[in-house]
Amino acid sequence: MELAFDVVITDLDGTLLNSGKTISKRNSDVLLHLQTIGVKVIIASGRPRPELDGRQELLELEKYDGLVLSYNGARVVQVSDQKVVYNHSISIETAKKVVQITRQFPVSTVIAHNNYSYVSDTTIHRSKEEAFVSDQEVVHEPYLEKILDFEPSKLLVTGKNEDLVELSLVLKESFDNLDIMFSDAVFLEIMEKGVSKGSTLLTLCHDFGWDIKRVIAFGDNENDIDLLKTAGHGVA
């Protein structure tokens, strides 16, 4: 039977992963089978470096030349050789202005870089969770401007939902060069304008010669909406 798609792109948390943050045998079996018959599998996550967490080995993405899209689309890695095929980040100047604003709210800002996760307030609920699930060393730094000598792929802010909603409104009024969206009720994601899972999927389709109409996408949160709309078939 001929499939209606050539590419499967899926979010991790809340989508491919179960409540125990693992991939079920049924899901892994299906994705492995699809790859054996020529379907390309892409992991699309807001996480910093999901290509290093071992799941690509479970799905044999290296064997089948799969891709991992991280930071909500700001970075794409080809698993077979760990080559970065796409990278887009926030300017240092803009990032410093953002963290100065976030410090005025009872929230914690997280910036991932290399193997470290810099966290402004480790006492905020779930402030270290993103670092732990990505196997990064947590470094507490209340004044994140001090470590910003690099362009971050994204900024993550965590705290109570009502505080994040208020902060998101302030940020949207202050920065027309950024996209601000929720990946979870307690996770606010800040990206360079126009960088998203959906826009990166379009770039990959162009570069690899894939027909967007033959892409099926899976996601569960606000940062997946444009991905689901962009793909030929979106499953929420």
Side-chain angles (χ1 to χ4, degrees), residues 5-159:
F5 48 87
D6 302 315
V7 179
V8 173
I9 180 166
T10 177
D11 172 51
L12 279 179
D13 298 281
T15 305
L16 182 60
L17 303 185
N18 57 28
S19 58
K21 298 293 185 183
T22 61
I23 303 174
S24 71
K25 185 178 185 303
R26 180 186 180 191
N27 280 345
S28 62
D29 286 348
V30 168
L31 291 176
L32 283 169
H33 173 68
L34 289 174
Q35 291 177 101
T36 65
I37 61 176
V39 175
K40 182 69 66 177
V41 171
I42 304 172
I43 299 298
S45 176
R47 292 187 185 188
R49 303 180 75 184
E51 76 274 9
L52 301 180
D53 68 5
R55 293 185 177 89
Q56 81 283 353
E57 296 172 1
L58 175 65
L59 299 176
E60 298 186 21
L61 295 187
E62 180 176 2
K63 177 180 178 180
Y64 294 104
D65 211 19
L67 298 169
V68 172
L69 182 156
S70 57
Y71 294 108
N72 286 323
R75 184 173 186 267
V76 179
V77 169
Q78 195 159 285
V79 178
S80 58
D81 56 7
Q82 291 296 301
K83 177 184 177 183
V84 177
V85 298
Y86 179 82
N87 191 58
H88 201 86
S89 53
I90 302 171
S91 72
I92 295 174
E93 181 183 4
T94 297
K96 286 183 176 182
K97 290 178 180 178
V98 170
V99 298
Q100 288 168 353
I101 291 176
T102 62
R103 197 160 51 241
Q104 300 171 25
F105 291 78
V107 298
S108 182
T109 304
V110 181
I111 302 177
H113 184 59
N114 293 331
N115 295 320
Y116 297 94
S117 198
Y118 299 95
V119 182
S120 65
D121 188 343
T122 56
T123 67
I124 298 291
H125 179 55
R126 296 180 72 180
S127 62
K128 297 185 288 186
E129 180 174 315
E130 186 81 351
F132 288 147
V133 298
S134 301
D135 280 339
Q136 292 181 305
E137 182 179 341
V138 174
V139 177
H140 179 216
E141 177 49 72
Y143 296 91
L144 290 170
E145 304 96 309
K146 294 180 180 179
I147 57 94
L148 276 169
D149 57 359
F150 59 90
E151 295 187 342
S153 295
K154 78 165 186 180
L155 304 178
L156 174 76
V157 188
T158 185

Side-chain angles (χ1 to χ4, degrees), residues 137-203:
E137 182 179 341
V138 174
V139 177
H140 179 216
E141 177 49 72
Y143 296 91
L144 290 170
E145 304 96 309
K146 294 180 180 179
I147 57 94
L148 276 169
D149 57 359
F150 59 90
E151 295 187 342
S153 295
K154 78 165 186 180
L155 304 178
L156 174 76
V157 188
T158 185
K160 294 181 180 178
N161 179 256
E162 55 267 31
D163 295 324
L164 294 176
V165 169
E166 185 179 351
L167 171 61
S168 71
L169 296 175
V170 173
L171 292 175
K172 287 176 181 178
E173 289 179 358
S174 304
F175 300 94
D176 58 8
N177 61 329
L178 297 175
D179 281 330
I180 296 108
M181 68 192 77
F182 283 87
S183 59
D184 184 280
V186 294
F187 286 142
L188 185 67
E189 312 257 0
I190 302 165
M191 311 285 300
E192 185 71 10
K193 191 77 172 179
V195 177
S196 66
K197 294 181 181 182
S199 64
T200 299
L201 173 61
L202 279 176
T203 299

